[in-house]
Amino acid sequence: MQESIVAIATASGTGGVAIIRISGDGALDIAKKMFTPVKDFTPNYMYSGHIEGDGFKDYGFMVYFKAPKSFTGEDVVEFHCHGGVQLARGILKKCLLNGARLAERGEFTKRAFLNGKLSLASAEGMADMINAESLALLRAGSMLYGEKLSLEVKELQDRLKDILAETAVEIDYPEEDSDGLDLKRISQKIADLKVNVEKLVASYNCGKKIKDGVTVAICGKPNAGKSSLLNALLGYDKALVSEEEGTTRDAVEGVLEIGGVKFNFIDTAGIRRKAGAVESMGIERAKAVIRSADVILSVSEGEEVELEENLSGKIIKVFNKNDIKTPQKHCDIAVSAKTGDGIEGLKQLILNNAMGEATLDKAYIVEERHFEALKRAQEALASAVANLNTVTLDIIVVDLKDAWDALGEITGETATEEIISTVFAKFCVGK
């Protein structure tokens, strides 16, 4: 018997409606004690009536979802009451007094996973959708929640099962097949699987940027117009602008969504050789930001700042102040932070530099946990291909099983309790 859990499922604060959700074998019994005048409830119908709280009654609605046709796969009851903070808490308290216990973080979704209503990856996609700060992450989370990755992973696991079955027959009954196992064909099957896994691994390059956002460092010599450019990109005054050199001594940050992707812009201190002690500290911090950035805007109105050669693929050379000066021939784009000329073109250039040909209608690996699991599967498959002709089949089977287990961690099929608990601890209470 699954004990009943309860929590307020809506955001804290005053609003139009608050929802108190109960899940478990005793959910309906608790509802019958608290809701009047109806006592005989048909699943999936919403009823109006009085909900009993701790020392009061509220007029609202109740709906009953019968197991297994509910989000958690258990009997679920929802009370929809007026959205007062104390009002919702009072109804929650009454549910606790009637035998439910307070749900833990993410426990409703965890029960849905344990009852086979969704995969572990799907649950993580739901969390990404809830916490999304950009359209790109919302769409990526939606695809993950829709089981797109889980289906791909399960298809890879099925192909691994077929290979394992063939090798198992050869190991257990070698005398049954006079021709022996076709190692060349098996090797090709494993290699094809490895290619599919590698494609998923490679998608994490874009997926990580979708998840965390793209870091853009704005650098250049003092008075090149870096702070003005940041303000122009953001559309409001974020950074202090002054004719005096060395005004920006520490990083100034701003966030902007371009093409659905979140970009974190950092305006760094102007880089020059002669600087005071405090300004020099700002310059060193600027260099650290530049080294770690995904995209670098090297801003100039004439002389450019010298950057490390290994950063060249990240750099966009921006000539600023084209309203009063003639652009240099070797710049990537000419703009005017003052008039706004070229700013939209620069945004598109930044998007292209960061994301390449990536589109939002494609699924990407956005979770580091999935990336690490896929990397382990890739390494195990590579080991199997490399050693197929040099070691015994039972050793190859170990590699193949390791790959299967690693893939299973994504869907939750082989995930440990520690992994499962970590995933659902990211959710709020009530989800």
Side-chain angles (χ1 to χ4, degrees):
M1 184 172 179
Q2 190 67 277
E3 63 181 334
S4 295
I5 56 173
V6 63
I8 299 172
T10 42
S12 178
T14 302
V17 176
I19 298 174
I20 295 88
R21 178 178 295 146
I22 315 169
S23 181
D25 294 332
L28 187 58
D29 290 334
I30 293 170
K32 287 179 177 180
K33 295 176 184 177
M34 295 176 58
F35 192 85
T36 56
V38 185
K39 292 299 179 185
D40 187 15
F41 298 98
T42 301
N44 306 319
Y45 279 80
M46 182 169 278
Y47 296 91
S48 62
H50 289 92
I51 308 167
E52 185 177 354
D54 184 35
F56 66 90
K57 285 188 177 182
D58 181 39
Y59 187 80
F61 300 93
M62 192 214 108
V63 61
Y64 164 53
F65 303 97
K66 184 175 176 60
K69 296 182 178 180
S70 69
F71 173 71
T72 63
E74 304 168 348
D75 278 358
V76 172
V77 167
E78 288 183 357
F79 292 127
H80 296 229
C81 64
H82 290 97
V85 176
Q86 293 302 323
L87 197 157
R89 288 177 181 172
I91 294 173
L92 173 66
K93 184 177 180 181
K94 194 67 176 180
C95 292
L96 295 171
L97 291 172
N98 281 319
R101 71 161 173 82
L102 190 64
E104 298 174 359
R105 296 174 69 91
E107 190 170 2
F108 290 97
T109 310
K110 184 177 181 179
R111 289 191 176 194
F113 162 69
L114 294 174
N115 291 324
K117 303 297 286 188
L118 76 174
S119 69
L120 196 58
S122 178
E124 290 168 293
M126 181 193 301
D128 285 338
M129 291 175 67
I130 292 169
N131 299 316
E133 294 182 353
S134 68
L135 177 61
L137 183 54
L138 178 60
R139 290 187 177 180
S142 176
M143 290 186 186
L144 195 55
Y145 178 53
E147 302 285 13
K148 183 171 177 59
L149 176 60
S150 295
L151 290 172
E152 286 189 48
V153 168
K154 286 177 180 177
E155 192 267 336
L156 294 175
Q157 285 185 295
D158 286 343
R159 288 163 60 185
L160 266 172
K161 275 184 184 178
D162 291 341
I163 297 171
L164 282 165
E166 286 190 62
T167 53
V169 169
E170 178 66 20
I171 292 170
D172 295 337
Y173 307 103
E175 69 283 354
E176 296 293 326
D177 186 357
S178 58
D179 295 329
L181 189 67
D182 188 342
L183 293 181
K184 184 176 181 180
R185 182 174 57 82
I186 292 296
S187 178
Q188 187 60 53
K189 282 186 175 184
I190 300 172
D192 290 343
L193 270 173
K194 179 172 166 286
V195 169
N196 292 136
V197 172
E198 285 171 346
K199 287 179 180 178
L200 289 173
V201 169
S203 76
Y204 183 65
N205 182 46
C206 283
K208 189 175 189 302
K209 293 174 183 177
I210 289 172
K211 175 88 171 182
D212 300 332
V214 179
T215 301
V216 182
I218 305 176
C219 67
K221 292 186 176 297
N223 268 356
K226 301 182 299 298
S227 298
S228 296
L229 183 61
L230 173 63
N231 293 341
L233 285 164
L234 298 179
Y236 64 93
D237 290 342
K238 174 72 175 183
L240 180 63
V241 177
S242 171
E243 295 294 330
E244 182 183 344
E245 290 189 353
T247 301
T248 303
R249 296 188 176 186
D250 206 350
V252 179
E253 301 183 25
V255 178
L256 177 68
E257 188 172 309
I258 305 174
V261 180
K262 177 185 172 185
F263 284 82
N264 305 303
F265 288 88
I266 305 177
D267 174 23
T268 63
I271 299 175
R272 58 175 175 168
R273 296 183 185 279
K274 295 181 179 181
V278 176
E279 188 181 348
S280 295
M281 291 172 63
I283 290 171
E284 289 306 310
R285 290 183 183 181
K287 290 179 178 179
V289 169
I290 290 166
R291 283 191 290 269
S292 63
D294 299 303
V295 179
I296 302 165
L297 300 186
S298 179
V299 185
S300 71
E301 54 171 330
E303 186 180 0
E304 291 184 27
V305 66
E306 293 183 5
L307 298 172
E308 298 175 21
E309 290 184 8
N310 61 350
L311 299 175
S312 57
K314 301 178 178 182
I315 298 171
I316 299 175
K317 296 180 179 179
V318 183
F319 182 88
N320 193 18
K321 305 182 182 179
N322 74 345
D323 54 318
I324 57 173
K325 294 186 178 182
T326 302
Q328 297 172 332
K329 293 181 180 179
H330 58 275
C331 69
D332 295 309
I333 189 169
V335 304
S336 169
K338 183 177 181 180
T339 67
D341 180 53
I343 295 299
E344 292 304 315
L346 176 58
K347 290 179 182 179
Q348 188 60 48
L349 199 57
I350 293 169
L351 179 64
N352 294 343
N353 183 285
M355 306 302 292
E357 298 180 357
T359 59
L360 299 190
D361 57 355
K362 180 181 174 182
Y364 297 95
I365 300 300
V366 296
E367 300 294 333
E368 184 177 0
R369 187 182 76 81
H370 301 167
F371 172 70
E372 294 298 335
L374 287 165
K375 284 284 289 182
R376 292 199 305 277
Q378 179 185 343
E379 290 165 3
L381 292 171
S383 175
V385 171
N387 298 322
L388 190 59
N389 293 303
T390 58
V391 299
T392 58
L393 280 178
D394 54 343
I395 296 177
I396 298 300
V397 165
V398 171
D399 284 330
L400 296 180
K401 285 183 176 178
D402 285 345
W404 193 91
D405 287 342
L407 292 173
E409 286 184 14
I410 296 173
T411 61
E413 194 170 357
T414 59
T416 63
E417 181 59 37
E418 182 181 2
I419 291 173
I420 293 168
S421 296
T422 300
V423 168
F424 291 107
K426 298 176 183 178
F427 285 79
C428 61
V429 174
K431 190 56 185 169

